[in-house]
Amino acid sequence: MSDVILSGRGLTKRFGGLVAVREVDIDVPRGEIFGLIGPNGAGKSTLFRLVAGIMAPSAGTVMFDGHPLTKKSPAAICVDGVVATHQIVRPFRTMSVLDNVTIGAFFGRRPQPKGREHARAIATEVLERCGIADRAQKPARELNLAGQKRLEIARALATDPKVILLDEVLAGLNPTETDRTLDLIRSIRAGGTTIVMVEHNLRAVRGLCSHLMVLVEGRKVAEGLPDAVLADPTVIAAYLGTSVHA
Ligand SMILES: Nc1ncnc2c1ncn2[C@@H]1O[C@H](COP(=O)(O)OP(=O)(O)OP(=O)(O)O)[C@@H](O)[C@H]1O
Ligand SMILES: [Mg+2]
């Protein structure tokens, strides 16, 4: 396989008696877009949190660029270059859009910006890239859903990540907003950042990802090239009732 930037071995997460993720191995190739799919409750967000270092596994290890992530704090991991967006967006609601992203720039990157103005300049550039510079001064709570999702991506990008994990950033977007976000994701990848995305929109996944992994009830049931994975009878059975060929 090509150069792997982020990998997990034997990842398991238990919540009391429930095993949300069960002995999953994952290898994310550097510089590519890796898709994680599966039905509701399959354990996607949990696996995502494990590989992002947000949540500690019950068993297993995560390696980022050859070093173990498992014992570091999320803040240290972010500075190292792995950052995640949340399925439920959670900006500082009363703060301006610009200030939200400035905080990401100030605390999340290495080298740290030289001061507040430098961090603001980085944040302004990121807002332009994300297409929300016109709303920079608004309180974050006044953004619509599409704006909030872009803000979530902008906060992550401001930390200058090597790997960005996107949890359902397309959910709830209309077709125009979806296309814009797809363009943004492509531009992030073109800039050299590796992307891991959890997504229910299979059409988007097929168009974007070079590699797919399918989770069902916490287990990996398929992985590989998108066309092959989406044609796999096990995967089709897991999605019965929804359209794999959407
Ligand atoms: N913090 C938690 N405490 C207890 N149970 C949890 C916790 N987080 C997730 N779970 C449970 O683990 C299972 C997997 O949840 P997870 O959120 O990872 O699924 P998902 O694939 O992301 O689903 P969705 O597509 O709905 O976002 C579910 O049964 C869920 O209820
Ligand atoms: Mg989820």
Side-chain angles (χ1 to χ4, degrees), residues 15 18 20 38-46 49 55 87 168 200:
F15 296 112
L18 175 88
N40 290 110
K44 303 180 297 295
S45 293
T46 303
R49 290 189 192 107
M55 188 181 262
Q87 183 171 357
E168 294 200 27
H200 279 295

Side-chain angles (χ1 to χ4, degrees), residues 11 17 78 113-114 133 176 180 198 211 225 236 238:
L11 290 173
C78 175
K114 291 180 203 82
T176 313
R180 281 205 198 120
V198 172
H211 194 99
L225 298 174
I236 292 169

Side-chain angles (χ1 to χ4, degrees), residues 148-226:
Q148 303 252 0
K149 295 225 160 197
R150 270 162 177 264
L151 171 57
E152 188 75 14
I153 298 175
R155 287 203 305 168
L157 280 182
T159 70
D160 192 23
K162 296 194 178 86
V163 181
I164 183 166
L165 298 108
L166 305 171
D167 198 351
E168 294 200 27
V169 289
L170 302 175
L173 302 188
N174 69 34
T176 313
E177 294 159 350
T178 299
D179 284 346
R180 281 205 198 120
T181 302
L182 294 179
D183 286 344
L184 176 59
I185 293 171
R186 285 193 191 93
S187 86
I188 295 170
R189 188 198 147 227
T193 304
T194 304
I195 297 169
V196 179
M197 56 192 297
V198 172
E199 195 44 69
H200 279 295
N201 182 334
L202 297 177
R203 182 200 290 263
V205 161
R206 188 196 283 271
L208 274 180
C209 299
S210 62
H211 194 99
L212 278 190
M213 177 184 287
V214 188
L215 281 187
V216 177
E217 295 177 2
R219 292 176 202 274
K220 177 165 71 177
V221 298
E223 71 177 318
L225 298 174

